[in-house]
């Protein structure tokens, strides 16, 4: 798996055991201006591993992207407050890095206690539960 960043000032971390490069870089600007970056606690590697283990679709995305000789990107912008929810959420942007641009696949929100996963519904702009997202067939 190849991961890359689009921000040259981002910190790049390499895992020598499997050749993965992960970047902690700002995610794309939120469509909800009330979102507030509160703090950064989990590393992008931890969040990427958590999503890969708990959201089967993420592994499928990685495989599809890599089979096209593209690179997978994961961005985490820290903990956010989502106005219609209680608690704080990590936002994890998953995309594909092409030669001249990055394509967003999905943005997931993982609760600070790592017990809830929400998905940004690109059609409605709502943050829906993982189960609701799957029911809608939006993956």
């Amino acid at each position: 798996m190849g991961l890359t960043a689009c921000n040259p000032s981002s910190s790049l971390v390499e895992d020598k055991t499997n050749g993965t490069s992960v970047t902690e870089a700002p995610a794309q600007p939120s469509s909800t201006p009330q979102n507030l970056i509160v703090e950064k606690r989990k590393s992008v590697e931890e969040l990427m591993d958590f999503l890969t283990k708990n959201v089967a679709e993420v592994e499928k995305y990685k495989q599809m992207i890599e089979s096209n000789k593209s690179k997978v990107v994961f961005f985490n912008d820290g903990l956010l407050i989502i106005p219609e929810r209680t608690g704080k959420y990590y936002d994890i942007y998953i995309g594909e890095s092409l030669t001249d641009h990055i394509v967003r696949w999905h943005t997931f929100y993982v609760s600070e206690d790592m017990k809830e996963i929400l998905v940004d519904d690109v059609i409605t702009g709502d943050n829906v539960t993982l189960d609701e997202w799957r029911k809608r067939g939006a993956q």
Side-chain angles (χ1 to χ4, degrees):
M1 166 177 59
L3 301 169
T4 189
C6 65
N7 181 347
S9 64
S10 301
S11 60
L12 183 64
V13 179
E14 287 196 50
D15 178 350
K16 300 294 183 189
T17 59
N18 66 11
T20 299
S21 296
V22 178
T23 302
E24 291 194 49
Q28 298 299 314
S30 170
S31 61
T32 309
Q34 293 86 8
N35 284 0
L36 173 67
I37 300 169
V38 179
E39 55 194 307
K40 187 177 269 189
R41 290 206 178 155
K42 297 265 185 228
S43 72
V44 74
E45 295 96 339
E46 290 173 286
L47 295 167
M48 177 185 70
D49 289 343
F50 176 80
L51 274 182
T52 302
K53 290 176 185 169
N54 291 284
V55 183
E57 293 87 350
V58 171
E59 185 61 36
K60 290 177 189 175
Y61 299 151
K62 289 170 42 179
Q63 290 173 2
M64 284 189 295
I65 291 168
E66 291 170 349
S67 70
N68 290 331
K69 306 290 187 234
S70 293
K71 294 180 183 178
V72 177
V73 291
F74 286 82
F75 295 114
N76 169 247
D77 212 13
L79 281 167
L80 302 177
I81 295 173
I82 299 175
E84 63 273 12
R85 301 284 178 168
T86 58
K88 299 174 188 174
Y89 290 81
Y90 294 99
D91 69 320
I92 303 103
Y93 171 105
I94 299 175
E96 178 179 7
S97 179
L98 302 170
T99 55
D100 58 350
H101 66 285
I102 292 178
V103 176
R104 175 182 127 174
W105 282 63
H106 286 288
T107 300
F108 293 91
Y109 298 96
V110 177
S111 63
E112 184 176 25
D113 63 6
M114 309 290 274
K115 293 185 178 180
E116 181 182 25
I117 299 172
L118 303 174
V119 185
D120 178 36
D121 185 320
V122 296
I123 296 170
T124 66
D126 297 333
N127 299 312
V128 298
T129 66
L130 187 58
D131 289 337
E132 179 63 27
W133 176 68
R134 287 176 172 152
K135 286 178 191 172
R136 292 181 183 186
Q139 62 278 25

